[in-house]
Amino acid sequence: RPIPGKGQVLNQIAEHFLEATKDIVPNWRLATPDAQVTVGHRAEPFKVEMVIRGYLAGHVARTYKSGLRTLCGITLPEGMKENDAFPEPIITPATKAEHGAHDEDIAREDIIAKGIVSEADYVQLEAYTRALFQRGQEMAASQGLILVDTKYEFGKLADGTIVLIDEIHTPDSSRYFYASGYEERQAAGEAQRQLSKEFVREWLMENGFQGKEGQVVPEMSDELVESISDRYIELFEKITGTSFVRAETGDIASRIEKSILDYLAN
């Protein structure tokens, strides 16, 4: 089911962070003429997602709990608890899946050996990833949040310039914890208060859906849809430090068309 406000939240958070990180790496964005529209350069995407993790959470926590101690060729420290911080952030790339397929973890060495990304380009992607994550963590900390993990996507323009593409530091691409009470909850073995789409993923798994063949997507109640919308808006306001102003929804198609035509005319 559609989540009210979600598209606007994702688009405007991405706008916020693309603008705030363009000194680190050039990005694809040219303009945001409408609450739900970004106009940008066409780029040829690298077929990997650069996933960076500062904490043992989500997918890596589930991997760790299964008993495995390596992910994407990286050895994970022993004795960690879920949501503990890593000594330093780790990069666990994933192949960029074709439509309908799942992204898969892949080691740095395999990416280079298989020619998915050249070694020179991959070294640059790693450097951009670490710098972007550091900036994102600093910005999150200024708002009382912890940027736990995220993913970045990159592409190349026609002239060979590497650019950051897609969204950045949104709840669909990132996980945030509230900084206040983090240490106390860890010490007590309690779940962290978080802002991300992980709670949606957990609800789906609890209701028997993991995107596998033959599984049916469970129906979301009105109450659940509203709570998801509220979470997205909460994150927007928390991470940007501004109030969310819902765009006019009476005739969205006409509004978007006008916004784009006005932009193209200028």
Side-chain angles (χ1 to χ4, degrees), residues 125-186:
L125 298 187
E126 281 190 325
Y128 281 150
T129 295
R130 292 194 182 280
L132 288 167
F133 191 58
Q134 181 176 341
R135 176 70 57 80
Q137 287 193 311
E138 291 167 355
M139 293 180 71
S142 72
Q143 297 295 326
L145 295 174
I146 296 170
L147 178 58
V148 176
D149 52 43
T150 191
K151 62 98 175 173
Y152 303 111
E153 296 188 45
F154 298 92
K156 270 191 178 181
L157 301 182
D159 65 2
T161 301
I162 294 177
V163 292
L164 177 66
I165 62 173
D166 199 44
E167 59 189 357
I168 170 178
H169 297 163
T170 72
D172 271 18
S173 65
S174 314
R175 187 189 326 271
Y176 291 89
F177 291 157
Y178 282 94
S180 177
Y182 166 79
E183 296 291 351
E184 292 80 1
R185 283 187 286 273
Q186 279 303 97

Side-chain angles (χ1 to χ4, degrees), residues 3 12 19 38 73 83-84 116 118 141 163 199 220 263:
I3 306 300
Q12 292 185 329
E19 184 65 24
T38 296
N83 299 330
D84 277 352
I116 299 172
S118 72
V163 292
F199 72 99
M220 289 183 172
Y263 168 75

Side-chain angles (χ1 to χ4, degrees), residues 5-263:
K6 178 183 173 184
Q8 181 183 344
V9 164
L10 297 180
N11 195 52
Q12 292 185 329
I13 289 179
E15 175 191 12
H16 176 78
F17 282 107
L18 288 170
E19 184 65 24
T21 58
K22 64 184 182 181
D23 61 315
I24 295 174
V25 53
N27 63 63
W28 73 294
R29 177 180 171 271
L30 286 170
T32 307
D34 183 89
Q36 289 175 250
V37 174
T38 296
V39 178
H41 295 286
R42 180 184 295 275
E44 182 64 31
F46 287 100
K47 295 189 182 300
V48 293
E49 292 185 345
M50 299 298 288
V51 183
I52 184 165
R53 306 174 185 278
Y55 294 74
L56 186 73
H59 171 57
V60 68
R62 289 189 287 273
T63 298
Y64 199 86
K65 192 175 292 184
S66 75
L68 296 177
R69 291 294 180 269
T70 59
L71 183 65
C72 299
I74 297 170
T75 300
L76 306 174
E78 290 289 348
M80 294 188 71
K81 296 187 302 183
E82 185 171 1
N83 299 330
D84 277 352
F86 289 115
E88 62 180 46
I90 62 172
I91 295 177
T92 59
T95 55
K96 184 63 181 165
E98 299 298 329
H99 179 70
H102 288 286
D103 298 342
E104 294 184 358
D105 297 330
I106 186 169
R108 176 189 197 275
E109 293 74 19
D110 291 335
I111 291 171
I112 295 169
K114 293 178 179 180
I116 299 172
V117 180
S118 72
E119 184 169 9
D121 282 347
Y122 192 82
V123 168
Q124 183 63 78
L125 298 187
E126 281 190 325
Y128 281 150
T129 295
R130 292 194 182 280
L132 288 167
F133 191 58
Q134 181 176 341
R135 176 70 57 80
Q137 287 193 311
E138 291 167 355
M139 293 180 71
S142 72
Q143 297 295 326
L145 295 174
I146 296 170
L147 178 58
V148 176
D149 52 43
T150 191
K151 62 98 175 173
Y152 303 111
E153 296 188 45
F154 298 92
K156 270 191 178 181
L157 301 182
D159 65 2
T161 301
I162 294 177
V163 292
L164 177 66
I165 62 173
D166 199 44
E167 59 189 357
I168 170 178
H169 297 163
T170 72
D172 271 18
S173 65
S174 314
R175 187 189 326 271
Y176 291 89
F177 291 157
Y178 282 94
S180 177
Y182 166 79
E183 296 291 351
E184 292 80 1
R185 283 187 286 273
Q186 279 303 97
E190 298 174 354
Q192 290 296 330
R193 293 178 61 217
Q194 65 172 288
L195 288 170
S196 73
K197 70 173 183 180
E198 180 68 17
F199 72 99
V200 180
R201 186 181 292 113
E202 289 173 351
W203 180 85
L204 289 167
M205 289 190 293
E206 288 168 3
N207 286 271
F209 183 77
Q210 293 176 280
K212 296 179 180 178
E213 188 174 349
Q215 293 182 337
V216 178
V217 180
E219 182 72 15
M220 289 183 172
S221 66
D222 291 343
E223 292 77 15
L224 181 62
V225 168
E226 185 176 349
S227 72
I228 294 172
S229 179
D230 289 345
R231 286 275 196 108
Y232 274 91
I233 291 170
E234 180 185 3
L235 178 56
F236 174 91
E237 295 185 335
K238 189 66 180 174
I239 193 60
T240 65
T242 62
S243 297
F244 181 74
V245 180
R246 196 182 293 274
E248 173 58 46
T249 58
D251 187 350
I252 297 175
S254 295
R255 187 201 80 208
I256 288 176
E257 182 180 21
K258 182 179 185 306
S259 297
I260 294 172
L261 290 175
D262 287 349
Y263 168 75

